[in-house]
Amino acid sequence: MRHFRALIPYFRRHRWFYVFGVGALLGADIAQLILPQVLERFVNTVQRAGAVQSDLLPYALALLALGIIIFATRFLWRNFVQGAARLIDYELRRDLFHQFTLLSPNYFNHHKTGDLMAHATNDLQAVRMALSMGVVMIADTAFLITSTLIIMFSTISPSLATFALLPLPLAAVVTGLLGRQIHLRFRAVQDQFSTLSEHVQENFSGIRVVKSFVQEQPELERLMGHSREYFDRNMRLVRIWALIQPLVQFIQGLAFVVALVYGGILVVRGTITLGAFVAFTSYLGLLNWPMQSIGQLVNLIQRSGASLQRLDAIFSERPEITDRPGAVAPAKPLEGALQVRHLTFTYPDSTRPATSDVSIDLPAGRTLALIGRTGAGKSTIISLLLRVFDPPPGTIFLDGIDILDLPLATLRETVAYVPPDNFLFSETIAQNIAFADSELGRDVIEEAAARAAVKGEILQFPDGFETLLGERGVTLSGGQKQRVSLARALAKTAPILILDDSFSAVDTYTEELILGGLLDLRQNRTTILVAHRVSTIKHADLILVLEDGRVIESGNHQSLLAERGFYSRLHQRQLLEDRLGGSPEGRGA
Amino acid sequence: MIREEEALGKAYDARLMRRLLGYARPQFWWILLALGLTVIVTASTIAQPYLVKIAIDNDINTVSLPMVTYPIGQAPAGVPAVPFDGRLFVRVKALPTPPASTTPVYTILAQGGQTAMIQGPMPHQAFTIKNGGHAVQIGTRLLPAVPVPVAVMSRFRQQDVRGLELIGILFLGALLLAFLANYLQAYILQWVAQSAIFSIRKDVITKIEGMPAAFFDKNPTGRLVTRATNDVEALEEMYSSVMVNMIRDGLLLVGVVVIMFQMNTYLAFVSIAVLPVVFIAANIYRNKARMAYRNVRLALARINAFLAENISGMRVVQTFQRQSAQEEKFRSANGAYRDAGIREIRLFAIFRPFMDFLYTGMVAVLVWFGGGSILDSALTFGVVYAFIQYIQLLFQPINDVTQNYSILQSAMAASERLFVLLDHPAELTDPPAPRALPAAEGRVAFDHVSFAYTADNWVLRDVSFEIEPGQTVAFVGATGAGKTSIMSLLARFYDAQQGRILVDGVDIRDVKQAELRRRIAVVHQEVFIFAGTIRQNIALNQPLSDQEIVRAAQLVGADRFITRLPHGYDEPVQERGSTFSTGQRQLLSLARAVAADPAILVLDEATSNIDTESEQQIQMALENLAGTRTMIVVAHRLSTIQGADRIFVMAQGQIRESGSHQELLAQGGLYYDLYRLQYKEDFKLT
């Protein structure tokens, strides 16, 4: 229950919607309560000897008026209450996304995208249900049940009310109890559905192995076993789920039979009038919905409580990387001189340091290259520089300022970054390139694309720079993606440019072309290249060869070749591979 | 390619429907039974208001029915007769034949707890009981009357109480019958639905499993999984509710209208006059609701797409400092969802209350017309009461139609996607009259084979070679040189555009794929470990004895790490083997291949990305296996393949050099360069 407290500010903001909405709801209830009274008087009038048709006019008109009132009030409460729930749903989702933008990249490494999305849709939907139908059920049941009971007991017949209502609490108990069982069995069904999905997924991703070993048939039988279990669990659910509706109808029917027989006898005895009998059966009908919803309400509150708890966990998550207290942007724009002093860093969930005692001194406007095997620590250095993880204090400096003392925004504005995964958004190519600044002119965008050697290919698309990317648009090849991602970084005016393994899907010729284009740009930009190929980095002012987190060789291309160490062997090997002629995009498919 | 469809298609397609119903055909008799039960439920639903009508007209509202008298002891047999005032009173209605019109009738009048009997029928004007029941004043006339004491009244009404009890029992019976029929019907229909989707799912999975490798290159696994899971699931409600609900609603509609006309033609006409309004309103609503619902779904899909992209790209968003810009974009997607939702609410807020209003309005109309008829004695009150109940039943099927419609719509969309998949031609089929492979030898030949994954991107150009049974051959070359493609063609994951591939002298396109693959075991670059135990992963559903499994593991050197596991061969594999090292997983898949005992064993880069210890083990395994069968090895590290009988050096999709290790070194070509380089590197770095 305590998780519902988080909703109070949202609730308060829209309180008038709820006040009016619940007001309208109670208005509709009151009109519904008056209706049987009109029927009662109509019946008694019809029964009276000597009545004429014009005596009935007031009742017909009253019913019509009540119909209009019920229509209007129901229209209003649906709009007010459900509308308010939609507004709160919107605000919660907006705030949730805001929270996502604050959380550190590491948070997203540890939480599956699918789960986070489910919070923003399914969990919010459960909360929205509580905020609309939950509120309505509470107000409606409480008001309708109490007032109907009062009317039945005080104005019709206490003994009739007692006997006829006797079966009704059963309906609430049945929906409540069976509801819980159904919830459990439903969970079992869903679990089996996930199991089935996982195995189908496994089968499809391992299809080559399955086919190589001619295991299609046994695998199919195994999957059908899971499918059969899913079937069985569904039937176990159905066994009680199919019971609820008929059972509740039966219980309500039972109450009606009592009202019919006992109420009929009371009319026969002259204890109540025929009109009162008719009114009583109408009131009984009014109780049907609230009695069922008591049971549903309990489940609804439980479910939305669980959803709120999950949402609460995200909202109370504190970002790991934040501005330090007192971090201020320097008065002068940063130039991009990089210093790294004895950087040793170990990832939170690891015991082995990812970098050990790395030191770099790079004046502004120069080019640094990092090379080494996978896992040598190249990307770690970039991550620390970008503060994806915080480096130890006093290890990384920009223009002599510890990057921990810079506001995150300033640091990120200083750097233009080409990530290794070349992540692009499902927008137009122009929008992707102008990602850093949506105000960028078309000339800047085209120039960046030209520098990244992708402009020609872009112009070949029918829509050119307005080509939509992603699921609903064009799928770019790996090399094209990489170069658009490069153009995106080049379009950003920042003193530091970082290319994190940005030529892996580009052939050597294009790579030369791009690097050549970058040369004049590099004059006033500090550039950091992370690469696997020597050809990428041979023009760098400073090359660091990394192995197991340590710098094992450093210098420029000439001096490193002269050392005849790791670097020169790598160089020879890559020359030979070029001669053997495998191209990175050669495998197609 | 099989694409996701975003827009909502039509709600009914006869062709799709026929195919869908075909899946329910095996359950035909059960469906028929469910229909029978539905008839029972509907009959009970219609009977209930009628029973109340009988109770009101025959038992409850009967105090003033006209009666005739008989001398004591002379009333007709089997008719309730009440002795009072020295005579027997019998209701006219109860008599088998109506009395002569001259026979005097008597009527009991009740007013404010007083009861009095007068001679003559129920007066049409207002009356007052006077003088303690000894007189009744009607207008200005004062009629003589006999007071009826309470005790006698209850004797007069004895038959009514009994009648009520009988109705109560009948009503209870109808309820019980409806309850049982309802439950059974729902259960049977669920069973039918689950059976149908079980067999659809089976067809879908069988179909996908049978598709060639190229199909899996083109269609992301996630999409195929969705076909086999969620899309099939979307059909469930179609089978379990729509199929029978529509029939039930039709029955209900017809039944109610029939019984209305049977009770009173005039009121029936008045009542069904509202139906066109209801139909039109429901139709307008259905169209609008469909659009509104569609907009909500689209807006939600957009939110999901946005979230999926921005959560996985949050790092890019943050490094480009674009949080607020993305929040702004999200706000518009989120706002569109909110607005679509509010439009849907508004639509619902008009339609549902409007239906309620129509109902209340109809009650008002019945009160006016029906009430008038009662006053004219043309109708009994019970009939009006029943009409009020029946009107409510008339509205129910029309409300249901809208719900059925949306279920039908999503079922049609899903089945369309499924049938497109099921009708997808298998690109790589077994020959109509497959040849049998001759006795296993292990001979392989490529005869001028050229191959491209996509048009004109030739990965293999005119490749020819022959491998003798029992030989070990190796393919080396840079990434993309075409080595892996050779292995894929050999196992017939793809068909080459030009040339022939022969296994033991037979073109592999002339034999069954399953037979071909039983002869060839491939250890792939990407190791795939199945959920289950180590034992299951090695045996892969083959009936192998423990010794055979252990022998396979020992042969490849996997035995050592397996026996060190807490449960040995029965150790369950966690999360696709992520707890094992790459080398261990590679050894496992090698053991699996050996356990299959193929004539041809293919190792496709099985030694890349593994630690030196595992590599040495695989090296030893290769030596153990050499000579027992044909072996084809693709390797990055030349050290793995030095013992091969023949080595093919590939570049740009062609075989450039071939020969034994020594021969190739002596040639001083590509192989020689490659070897020198790797040897030096390995020497320096280890």
Side-chain angles (χ1 to χ4, degrees), chain B residues 603-623:
Chain B
L603 300 164
D604 187 1
E605 309 235 25
T607 54
S608 49
N609 295 324
I610 63 171
D611 54 288
T612 340
E613 194 196 332
S614 307
E615 196 207 332
Q616 278 164 2
Q617 249 154 27
I618 288 177
Q619 178 79 44
M620 271 162 57
L622 289 184
E623 281 162 25

Side-chain angles (χ1 to χ4, degrees), chain B residues 362-523:
Chain B
M362 277 314 294
V363 175
V365 168
L366 285 174
V367 159
W368 176 249
F369 288 103
S373 298
I374 298 174
L375 293 178
D376 296 344
S377 297
L379 265 185
T380 57
F381 174 71
V383 172
V384 176
Y385 183 92
F387 263 91
I388 292 177
Q389 303 297 310
Y390 281 129
I391 286 280
Q392 199 161 19
L393 287 183
L394 265 191
F395 278 64
Q396 190 188 310
I398 294 156
N399 282 340
D400 280 356
V401 162
T402 36
Q403 204 193 337
N404 288 339
Y405 192 80
S406 58
I407 295 175
L408 211 55
Q409 210 167 16
S410 51
M412 286 295 144
S415 62
E416 175 123 46
R417 290 194 290 267
L418 288 172
F419 289 140
V420 165
L421 171 71
L422 287 175
D423 296 341
H424 199 282
E427 290 147 18
L428 221 142
T429 47
D430 282 334
R435 285 179 61 184
L437 280 174
E441 282 188 291
R443 190 185 302 276
V444 174
F446 270 53
D447 181 14
H448 299 287
V449 172
S450 293
F451 172 63
Y453 289 97
T454 51
D456 284 341
N457 266 321
W458 296 104
V459 211
L460 294 179
R461 301 159 205 260
D462 195 27
V463 171
S464 296
F465 60 82
E466 270 182 53
I467 301 169
E468 299 293 315
Q471 267 194 338
T472 299
V473 302
F475 285 85
V476 297
T479 312
K483 303 170 307 228
T484 294
S485 303
I486 289 184
M487 307 307 141
S488 298
L489 289 181
L490 181 59
R492 208 167 167 226
F493 285 136
Y494 303 88
D495 271 340
Q497 281 84 352
Q498 292 167 22
R500 304 186 301 155
I501 298 165
L502 307 171
V503 168
D504 288 332
V506 179
D507 190 324
I508 58 170
R509 282 169 298 195
D510 294 338
V511 298
K512 274 191 181 165
Q513 294 169 58
E515 200 186 346
L516 172 72
R517 289 178 190 143
R518 272 193 206 101
R519 193 151 292 190
I520 303 170
V522 186
V523 180

